[in-house]
Amino acid sequence: MQSAISRHRKRRKLKSEINVVPYIDVMLVLLIIFMVTAPMLTLAVNVDIPKSTARSVDSKADPVIVTVDGDGRFFLKLKDAEIQELSPEELQARLSAFVSENKDIPVFLAAPGDANYQKVIDATGIISKSGVTKVGLMSKPGGTGGNAR
């Protein structure tokens, strides 16, 4: 009887298939690790915005220029007028009144390299609330940022 059992075991064929379940588990764990760590890799990027080698924009009309200086003050330069320092509310009111009359006038935003970035973002919000759909950012070609007033 012993010999019958041992013969039965010897006749059993070996499996030649690969069990891929552990590999799938490892792949899913790595996918989750990469998905969690990828957004953390791009948080610390140093950017010096005002430097540019872009060519100048050709425009037939004089642009409207909104400027934010290093102290966070807002300035507005309309077509033939002088540069005026305005509060955010005044800036929005004047800009919306001017843009409603001149729909195709280009609007540019200028700020020095050391300007408070939050103030620059606030200025883009004010310009957007004024009804302007496209805003150009001004920079000095090939140089370092400076006060663009």
Side-chain angles (χ1 to χ4, degrees):
M1 184 136 196
Q2 286 276 37
S3 62
I5 294 175
S6 62
R7 276 190 238 148
H8 184 309
R9 286 188 182 168
K10 290 181 182 177
R11 289 184 190 173
R12 186 188 299 173
K13 291 185 179 179
L14 295 174
K15 276 189 170 183
S16 61
E17 297 175 7
I18 297 175
N19 187 5
V20 295
V21 173
Y23 299 117
I24 293 172
D25 291 343
V26 169
M27 181 191 66
L28 290 175
V29 168
L30 288 174
L31 178 66
I32 291 170
I33 290 171
F34 289 138
M35 287 174 57
V36 169
T37 58
M40 293 182 216
L41 298 176
T42 59
L43 290 179
V45 177
N46 294 328
V47 178
D48 192 6
I49 294 175
K51 294 180 184 177
S52 175
T53 57
R55 57 187 176 87
S56 63
V57 177
D58 295 328
S59 176
K60 295 174 184 166
D62 290 335
V64 173
I65 301 173
V66 177
T67 306
V68 179
D69 70 352
D71 298 330
R73 297 177 297 178
F74 298 101
F75 297 88
L76 179 64
K77 167 89 170 79
L78 297 176
K79 280 185 177 180
D80 297 323
E82 292 290 322
I83 298 173
Q84 301 172 350
E85 181 179 355
L86 301 171
S87 70
E89 296 80 18
E90 292 174 321
L91 176 64
Q92 182 178 347
R94 288 208 185 164
L95 191 58
S96 61
F98 188 78
V99 170
S100 66
E101 294 177 8
N102 307 301
K103 299 242 184 246
D104 297 327
I105 194 90
V107 178
F108 294 109
L109 176 61
D114 60 349
N116 184 348
Y117 194 67
Q118 182 61 49
K119 292 294 185 179
V120 175
I121 296 300
D122 291 343
T124 58
I126 291 168
I127 293 170
S128 176
K129 287 178 187 175
S130 300
V132 177
T133 56
K134 293 183 180 180
V135 178
L137 297 176
M138 292 182 72
S139 63
K140 290 187 177 182
T144 60
N147 197 347
R149 274 194 281 161

